[in-house]
């Protein structure tokens, strides 16, 4: 997930003048609302002396239940999922707007972000190397959740006369619950949860998926170009940047999911290659330290060094960072996956299970391994500070310092990565918000144009104002959606089981077979 926590990355704040006053007024007005809601959603429980947000347990338990229920589908169907992404089972004339690879890229562009850079830096600082092991475990479990929710996303999607697809929790909660709970009660519950889901997605799309990303992108660019005295340090620079970014984003989202899929299918691999290459360079230079780092990660997961909260504490840290990174169970990814070209819903569920694997098991692990291998003095000092009860350091700095041990110019590479991550996140969440908006206010061109204008205006607002309270509220709103979404997923397990059984039967009897050419 492209994190919206204020600790995730350097923030750009209006310190004085009219903009500063506006920002202060909005934050002050929103503070009590944010505190009340944030404290409920991220409220903490204590188990075995370790305190953690209950929402993390909710997400991880669901992932474990789905993993067992579907017989470790993430392992058994991994090869089939890869074949589906490569287009080996789906022809171009099947219903939908984009192919499996584009759907996966679009969804990944919404999850791969600062959480993979800053969030991991925080995890291995407050939980030690062992947190990496539990991040991997949580990512593997989350694959099953993505399988369930994205299968339902396609199963209950709506395809308009012009071929435009709408899907996501607002559709499968409304239709699926009405189907599974007969009578007026099921229909009423489904409609209420669908509207709540749409409202939460819309709010996060505008705040967390848009404003925060724009703000962080400009802040990072300003930092590497000389700060307040540099090229982007002058008055009006943020406004000009915001306008340019809004134009770029607008040109993409106006084209709909086909345009977004075309862009993200190039952008996501590009940003992944840039970032993973940098990781591999650091790991390669320190190749002799790799075995020792792996031993540290595994040993630290079960017998962590003193000060990291014991094995349970390390487990919780790893699970929390992974859950916050891959969004499994939040209901956001099914919106992108629903637009896929397929007549078998379960095929996209299988493709979607690759998402947490790429986001958490590969990218987050690469970041963690780089930090553990580099073993910078900054990271060790930061760990000592946290153990002594001090503040958690900036996760981006932990990661950046680790890369700088081999690549002194890495801050520039990190800037490119942050910009690519942020732009791809804005584009994808622009689409998620649009689907929610049209669900709430009606599907027509006028409504769509109004949304596009509003969304792009908030790109500019986000570049200029931080609005910390609004962003914290947006975080809480998105994770509140997981409560309703996962309840719906539990109820609709039989639907997914039926879809999976039917598809497997079609493969066995030859009704579904590999295509000679990829599509």
């Amino acid at each position: 997930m492209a994190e919206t926590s204020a600790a995730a990355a350097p923030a750009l704040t209006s310190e004085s003048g009219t903009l500063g006053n506006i920002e202060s007024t909005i934050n002050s007005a929103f503070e009590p609302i944010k505190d009340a809601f944030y404290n409920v959603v991220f409220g903490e429980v204590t188990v075995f002396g370790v305190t953690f947000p209950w929402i993390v347990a909710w997400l991880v338990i669901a992932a474990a239940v789905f993993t067992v229920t579907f017989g470790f589908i993430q392992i058994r169907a991994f090869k089939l999922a890869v074949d589906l992404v490569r287009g080996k089972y789906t022809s171009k004339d099947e219903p939908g707007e984009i192919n499996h690879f584009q759907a996966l890229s679009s969804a990944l562009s919404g999850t791969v972000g600062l959480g993979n850079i800053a969030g991991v830096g925080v995890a291995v600082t407050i939980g030690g190397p062992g947190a990496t092991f539990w991040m991997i475990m949580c990512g593997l479990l989350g694959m099953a959740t993505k399988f369930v929710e994205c299968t339902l996303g396609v199963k209950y999607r709506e395809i308009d006369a012009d071929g435009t697809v709408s899907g996501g929790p607002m559709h499968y909660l409304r239709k699926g619950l009405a189907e599974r709970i007969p009578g007026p009660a099921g229909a009423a519950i489904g409609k209420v949860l669908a509207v709540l889901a749409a409202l939460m997605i819309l709010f996060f799309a505008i705040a967390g998926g848009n404003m925060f990303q724009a703000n962080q992108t400009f802040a990072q660019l300003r930092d590497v170009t000389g700060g307040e005295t540099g090229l982007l340090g002058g008055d009006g620079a943020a406004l000009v940047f915001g306008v340019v970014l809004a134009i770029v984003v607008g040109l993409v989202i106006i084209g709909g999911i086909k345009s977004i899929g075309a862009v993200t299918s190039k952008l996501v691999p590009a940003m992944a290659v840039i970032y993973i290459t940098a990781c591999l360079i650091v790991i390669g230079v320190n190749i002799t330290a790799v075995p020792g780092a792996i031993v540290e990660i595994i040993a630290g997961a079960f017998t962590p060094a003193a000060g990291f909260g014991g094995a349970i504490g390390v487990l919780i840290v790893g699970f929390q960072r992974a859950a916050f990174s891959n969004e499994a169970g939040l209901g956001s990814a099914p919106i992108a996956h629903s637009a896929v070209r397929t007549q078998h819903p379960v095929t996209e569920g299988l493709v979607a299970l690759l998402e947490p694997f790429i986001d958490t098991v590969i990218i987050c692990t690469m970041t963690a391994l780089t930090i553990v291998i580099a073993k910078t003095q900054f990271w060790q000092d930061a760990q000592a500070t946290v153990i002594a009860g001090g503040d958690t350091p900036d996760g981006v700095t932990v990661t950046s310092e680790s890369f700088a041990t081999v690549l002194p110019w890495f801050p520039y590479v990190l800037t490119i990565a942050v910009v690519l991550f942020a732009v791809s996140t804005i584009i994808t969440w622009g689409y998620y918000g649009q689907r929610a908006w049209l669900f709430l206010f009606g599907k027509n061109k006028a409504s769509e144009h109004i949304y596009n204008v509003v969304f792009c205006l908030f790109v500019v607002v986000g570049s200029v104002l931080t609005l910390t309270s609004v962003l914290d509220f947006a975080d809480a709103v998105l994770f509140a959606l997981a409560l309703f979404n996962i309840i719906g997923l539990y109820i609709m397990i039989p639907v997914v089981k039926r879809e999976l059984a039917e598809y497997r039967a079609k493969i066995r009897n030859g009704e579904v077979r590999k295509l000679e050419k990829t599509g």
Side-chain angles (χ1 to χ4, degrees), residues 4 6 11 13 23 27 31 34 466-473:
T4 56
T13 307
E23 186 170 306
N27 278 330
E31 192 75 20
K34 181 269 293 185
T466 305
L467 303 181
T468 307
S469 295
V470 178
L471 296 173
D472 285 344
F473 181 75

Side-chain angles (χ1 to χ4, degrees), residues 376-412:
T376 64
Q377 190 62 47
F378 180 87
W379 178 49
Q380 295 177 70
D381 291 344
Q383 286 183 310
T385 299
V386 170
I387 290 172
D391 293 334
T392 303
D394 186 346
V396 170
T397 306
V398 171
T399 305
S400 184
E401 289 289 326
S402 299
F403 282 106
T405 58
V406 175
L407 309 170
W409 37 264
F410 182 75
Y412 297 101

Side-chain angles (χ1 to χ4, degrees), residues 3 46 157 232 309 364 438 440 445:
E3 294 194 3
T46 301
R157 67 183 177 178
L232 298 177
C364 285
L438 296 179
L440 292 168
K445 285 299 179 183

